[in-house]
Amino acid sequence: MQKIRVGIIGGGFGASVHAPIFQMHEGFEVKCIASVHRGLSEKDMPNIKQYTDWNKMLEAEELDLVSVVSAPVHHCSMTMEALKNRLHVLCEKPLGMNSDQTRLMMNEIIGTKRKGFVNFQWRLTPVRQRIKQILKNRELGSIHHMKYQGSFSGYEALATQPRGWEGQKESGGGHLFAVGSHMLDSMMWWLEEEIDHVYASMRTVVPSFSGATEIENRNTDDAFSIMGNFRNDASFTADVFYPGIRGTGWTLEIYGSRGTLIMRNDQSIQLSFGGDFKELEINQMEPPYELKAPLKHYYSGFYPMVDLLHKSINGDDGLVDLPTFDDGHKVQSVLDAIIASANTHSRIQVNYSR
């Protein structure tokens, strides 16, 4: 089997998660990695050529797929250059900074044989796949409402550690982009329905960090709340609060005409059809024993993603759960509406125009 040759742009998450999981799949060969801000030793990345300039990497290497794992502000320019070099692209979420960028990225693919994917890997975990099956089989009946929320014990980290680009709006930082994008994608994918309109607020609870030698001022959200409706008129709320002293984690509640579903921390599913809630058995995907954090945490979503990438690049076009640039553009369109709503304190209709 001829291996798909991969180049990675990004020495953080790209080096710690993308590179090793691509290497675990027999259908891929990680040829090179470009890291601008982080120094990587040969011990960290054995047998992988390293660059400090991603443009030079694209010019010099014979590749099939580029994995873009940079700050969101760079996603569009890096993706467009990779596509012009006739390479397939896997881009981290969110796909761009706004829907104007994601529209450019989608249109660049039209008429080529290249494919564009966005890393909404959490779709592919066993728990979320089971929820998809339950909703597709209409076990809950018609869906009336989704309530998706997360609260976390992040206050100390925000108050005592710098966030770098993740604290800067102009770089694409903030929790709406980081985790809200995943939430929006999962909700639309579960229901197979686009979001129609939103009403939202965004907050910066911890706006600065003062260290021994630096002061970091932040302008990104560390908390957000969204209300809205899908086009089929089902309603939803989505809420994240990161700077808690003690958070409670993730909870998803789905209310249908026949029953109710509760998911907790992407680990358990409970169902009720009017009586007591009963927990479902989930066949979890156990990571290899030798994997350490953070790699272990991402394995159950990203390894299936890599496997679907291999199938798609080799000609399988029927992979409905594989997130593409089209999915990324839909999420970006909703993100645009959320930001506009938070800025204007008004209800905003989502514009998905291509």
Side-chain angles (χ1 to χ4, degrees):
M1 174 174 59
Q2 185 173 356
K3 291 181 180 289
I4 295 169
R5 299 163 297 183
V6 182
I8 295 172
I9 304 176
F13 194 67
S16 64
V17 174
H18 280 233
I21 291 184
F22 269 116
Q23 288 176 302
M24 293 172 68
H25 194 288
E26 63 179 0
F28 290 93
E29 178 186 6
V30 179
K31 298 279 290 183
C32 50
I33 185 167
S35 176
V36 178
H37 300 296
R38 293 175 173 88
L40 298 172
S41 69
E42 290 186 10
K43 182 180 178 182
D44 295 326
M45 301 261 91
N47 303 317
I48 298 176
K49 191 169 182 179
Q50 296 181 33
Y51 289 83
T52 56
D53 186 321
W54 62 272
N55 274 296
K56 289 183 178 178
M57 183 184 81
L58 295 184
E59 292 172 3
E61 297 288 337
E62 292 187 4
L63 302 171
D64 304 300
L65 170 70
V66 170
S67 191
V68 176
V69 201
S70 61
V73 67
H74 302 304
H75 286 182
C76 183
S77 59
M78 291 175 173
T79 294
M80 294 293 282
E81 194 62 32
L83 291 173
K84 288 174 183 175
N85 279 272
R86 302 193 61 78
L87 302 174
H88 302 291
V89 177
L90 169 65
C91 185
E92 266 298 335
K93 50 72 202 165
L95 186 56
M97 292 290 285
N98 53 60
S99 59
D100 288 337
Q101 290 188 352
T102 58
R103 193 176 297 113
L104 283 174
M105 295 156 79
M106 284 195 305
N107 290 336
E108 187 68 22
I109 291 179
I110 295 173
T112 74
K113 294 183 179 180
R114 301 305 95 187
K115 295 183 177 182
F117 313 95
V118 59
N119 192 28
F120 291 129
Q121 79 269 15
W122 299 122
R123 284 186 180 195
L124 304 174
T125 62
V127 169
R128 298 200 189 195
Q129 287 281 312
R130 186 67 181 277
I131 293 172
K132 176 71 170 179
Q133 181 184 42
I134 289 168
L135 297 187
K136 197 171 187 66
N137 294 341
R138 295 184 61 83
E139 294 178 41
L140 301 182
S142 300
I143 303 304
H144 296 314
H145 182 67
M146 279 190 179
K147 180 181 179 182
Y148 202 176
Q149 63 184 36
S151 64
F152 306 95
S153 312
Y155 183 85
E156 183 178 359
L158 290 173
T160 62
Q161 300 172 24
R163 295 195 67 202
W165 70 262
E166 292 178 306
Q168 306 306 314
K169 185 185 300 184
E170 58 272 20
S171 295
H175 283 73
L176 178 66
F177 272 21
V179 296
S181 57
H182 279 298
M183 297 166 76
L184 296 167
D185 174 69
S186 286
M187 288 192 295
M188 290 192 285
W189 168 69
W190 278 323
L191 279 193
E192 298 181 3
E193 194 70 55
E194 292 176 350
I195 291 171
D196 182 74
H197 62 266
V198 296
Y199 186 89
S201 67
M202 300 166 63
R203 298 177 62 199
T204 308
V205 178
V206 185
S208 63
F209 156 75
S210 297
T213 59
E214 65 176 315
I215 296 176
E216 178 185 84
N217 294 312
R218 304 164 182 152
N219 58 9
T220 55
D221 63 289
D222 50 31
F224 62 82
S225 297
I226 311 161
M227 297 187 298
N229 281 70
F230 295 90
R231 286 185 169 173
N232 66 358
D233 208 36
S235 59
F236 76 91
T237 60
D239 179 270
V240 165
F241 187 79
Y242 183 73
I245 298 299
R246 182 67 176 91
T248 60
W250 289 108
T251 303
L252 169 74
E253 301 172 7
I254 304 178
Y255 297 91
S257 59
R258 292 183 55 206
T260 300
L261 179 151
I262 300 176
M263 176 184 77
R264 299 189 191 280
N265 291 317
D266 278 270
Q267 295 296 317
S268 67
I269 298 174
Q270 294 178 319
L271 291 177
S272 169
F273 298 98
D276 294 339
F277 280 95
K278 295 185 179 179
E279 189 161 331
L280 298 183
E281 285 191 21
I282 306 293
N283 293 322
Q284 297 286 6
M285 184 177 182
E286 293 297 329
Y289 176 78
E290 67 274 11
L291 293 190
K292 307 296 182 184
L295 191 55
K296 190 173 184 177
H297 173 66
Y298 292 98
Y299 178 84
S300 65
F302 194 57
Y303 187 86
M305 180 81 174
V306 166
D307 191 52
L308 290 183
L309 289 175
H310 185 264
K311 292 175 181 176
S312 179
I313 291 171
N314 279 295
D316 190 340
D317 293 322
L319 303 169
V320 295
D321 290 340
L322 180 60
T324 66
F325 277 12
D326 185 63
D327 299 297
H329 176 67
K330 287 180 180 179
V331 169
Q332 201 76 51
S333 299
V334 181
L335 292 172
D336 284 1
I338 291 167
I339 294 168
S341 176
N343 288 339
T344 61
H345 308 289
S346 62
R347 169 178 146 161
I348 300 292
Q349 196 86 17
V350 181
N351 177 9
Y352 294 99
S353 64
R354 298 178 62 97

